[in-house]
């Protein structure tokens, strides 16, 4: 399949992308979190093409993207009171809300569940394309299933060129990790996946919030609340092992494992002591920088020939919780505590 690359400055190109989406085609679009692979959320057949292009398991539901508040009403069965507060505070932005779904949402989108995940993204390009297409867009991350999510257009081209109809090239994604997924169908809202909006930020607006156990624990044998959070995900080809400890202990540990294909994914503060090839994903306390860099550094490690990637674990606080959640899955939960 020929994949057209469209610049965000090309007005006619964006109109063409919207037309493709109306015709049931699939188009990758930049968002403020990661690149999304979009199709008309009301067209089950179009949505199936997303799963095919990504090689995504059918039971992993998709997030539906809308351009305005009105856009949610046809998609949901009822609107919990807390939604208005949350959407008022965080939309457009990286917060996805789970609602009971209406009948017009195809089961392909909900992965067979009776709920639907919805958000209003903050990136002007996807908002413009949703308006031009006149339909809500279902869009998971625009990567091959299992690999690190795409935060620059080249990642999308590497993974999906020849498999989808078009890619809108919008430069680098601002946040770098996916949206926070919050279930508001229960009495106490529950974070199913941590992301760009933190628990503390949500609690300031909505009161008490829970965190699903699967966010930092390996859930086996039972159905994950957020099916995309099953344990292996976001992985480069290299084996990833997390190492938790002070900078000194991390550096000593990694230097003791020097060998063919052994790489470090460290913090800026660790770099000077390391004797193995390394990549840094930001300063140890700068969780926003880590979120922005993590996925591209995982891909870069593969490009540089890493076979074993020893990652200095971050703290699971604030946006650091989202970073740690992705790291755990990239490492299949393998973490060494020094
Ligand atoms: P992705 O679009 O690849 O970032 O993945 C979307 C995430 O949202 C996955 O973790 C899904 O499991 C989650 N998700 C989407 N819809 C639902 C839903 N109805 N209930 C729970 N989780 C959902
Ligand atoms: Mg994804």
């Amino acid at each position: 399949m020929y994949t057209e690359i469209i610049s965000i400055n090309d007005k006619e190109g964006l109109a063409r992308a919207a037309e493709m989406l109306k015709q049931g085609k699939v188009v990758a679009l930049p968002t403020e979190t990661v690149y999304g692979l979009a199709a008309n959320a009301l067209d089950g057949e179009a949505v199936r093409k997303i799963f095919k292009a990504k090689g995504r398991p059918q039971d992993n539901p998709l997030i539906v993207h809308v351009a305005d508040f009105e856009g949610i009403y046809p998609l949901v069965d009822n609107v919990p009171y807390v939604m208005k507060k949350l959407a008022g505070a965080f939309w457009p932005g990286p917060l996805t809300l789970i609602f009971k779904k209406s009948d017009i949402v195809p089961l392909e989108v909900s992965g067979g569940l009776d709920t639907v995940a919805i958000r209003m993204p903050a990136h002007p390009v996807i908002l413009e394309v949703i308006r031009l297409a006149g339909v809500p867009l279902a869009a998971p991350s625009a990567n091959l299933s299992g690999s690190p999510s795409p935060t620059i257009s080249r990642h999308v081209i590497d993974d999906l060129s020849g498999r989808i109809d078009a890619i809108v090239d919008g430069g680098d994604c601002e946040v770098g990790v996916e949206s926070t997924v919050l279930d508001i169908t229960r009495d106490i809202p529950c974070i199913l996946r941590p992301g760009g909006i933190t628990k503390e930020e949500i609690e300031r607006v909505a009161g008490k919030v829970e965190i699903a156990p699967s966010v930092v624990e390996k859930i086996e044998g039972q159905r994950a609340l957020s099916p995309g959070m099953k344990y292996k995900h976001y992985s480069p080809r290299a084996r990833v092992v997390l190492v938790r400890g002070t900078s000194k202990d991390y550096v000593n540990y990694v230097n003791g494992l020097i060998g063919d294909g052994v790489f470090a994914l460290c913090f800026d503060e660790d770099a000077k002591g390391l004797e193995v090839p390394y990549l840094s994903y930001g300063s140890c306390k700068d969780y926003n920088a880590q979120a922005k860099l993590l996925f591209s550094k995982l891909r870069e490690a593969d490009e540089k020939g890493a076979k074993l990637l020893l990652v200095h674990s971050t703290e699971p606080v604030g946006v650091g919780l989202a970073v740690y959640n992705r790291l755990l899955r990239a490492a299949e939960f393998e973490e060494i505590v020094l």
Side-chain angles (χ1 to χ4, degrees), residues 1 33 53 64 90 131 152 246 253 259 269 281-282 288 304 312 335 337:
M1 181 190 295
T33 58
V64 179
F90 300 114
R131 285 192 199 103
I152 62 174
T246 63
Y253 181 81
E269 292 81 356
Y281 71 117
N288 289 320
K304 294 210 146 84
H312 198 172
E335 181 170 49
V337 180

Side-chain angles (χ1 to χ4, degrees), residues 132-305:
L132 289 171
V135 291
L137 297 179
S141 51
N143 54 306
L144 289 173
S145 189
S147 73
S149 301
T151 53
I152 62 174
S153 58
R154 188 174 54 79
H155 298 157
V156 185
I157 294 169
D158 287 348
D159 275 18
L160 297 177
S161 192
R163 302 174 71 91
I164 62 176
D165 297 286
I167 298 170
V168 176
D169 181 348
D172 298 4
C173 298
E174 201 42 50
V175 179
V177 288
E178 301 83 349
S179 58
T180 303
V181 176
L182 185 72
D183 185 353
I184 54 168
T185 64
R186 0 155 148 217
D187 292 340
I188 300 177
C190 180
I191 293 178
L192 305 184
R193 175 179 75 181
I197 303 285
T198 64
K199 176 175 190 265
E200 296 74 20
E201 287 173 306
I202 297 170
E203 285 189 325
R204 252 175 259 140
V205 172
K208 189 173 163 43
V209 167
E210 288 174 343
I211 296 186
S214 59
V215 165
V216 290
E217 284 167 31
K218 194 164 172 174
I219 305 286
E220 276 169 313
Q222 91 186 61
R223 203 177 150 82
L225 290 172
S226 195
M229 287 283 95
K230 283 176 191 163
Y231 70 86
K232 180 160 185 195
H233 215 103
Y234 313 111
S235 290
R237 287 189 299 278
R239 175 175 160 214
V240 176
V241 176
L242 308 186
V243 182
R244 177 169 296 287
T246 63
S247 181
K248 189 163 163 261
D249 290 347
Y250 169 77
V251 168
N252 283 338
Y253 181 81
V254 170
N255 286 346
L257 290 177
I258 214 162
D260 181 37
V262 177
F263 276 64
L265 181 55
C266 65
F267 297 127
D268 296 345
E269 292 81 356
D270 308 321
K272 60 180 182 308
L274 286 167
E275 289 159 18
V276 303
Y278 66 84
L279 301 164
S280 171
Y281 71 117
S283 171
C284 64
K285 292 287 179 227
D286 189 349
Y287 306 122
N288 289 320
Q290 294 164 22
K292 189 164 176 173
L293 290 173
L294 176 67
F295 289 134
S296 61
K297 295 296 169 183
L298 291 176
R299 283 178 182 253
E300 210 179 314
D302 274 346
E303 285 158 17
K304 294 210 146 84

Side-chain angles (χ1 to χ4, degrees), residues 32-71:
E32 78 281 23
T33 58
V34 302
Y35 274 79
L37 182 58
N40 177 356
L42 304 180
D43 177 349
E45 201 178 314
V47 169
R48 278 202 293 277
K49 294 180 190 165
I50 296 178
F51 286 86
K52 186 156 174 251
K54 282 182 57 96
R56 182 175 173 107
Q58 305 257 327
D59 66 347
N60 188 357
L62 307 180
I63 295 169
V64 179
H65 296 72
V66 296
D68 48 46
F69 291 96
E70 285 63 47

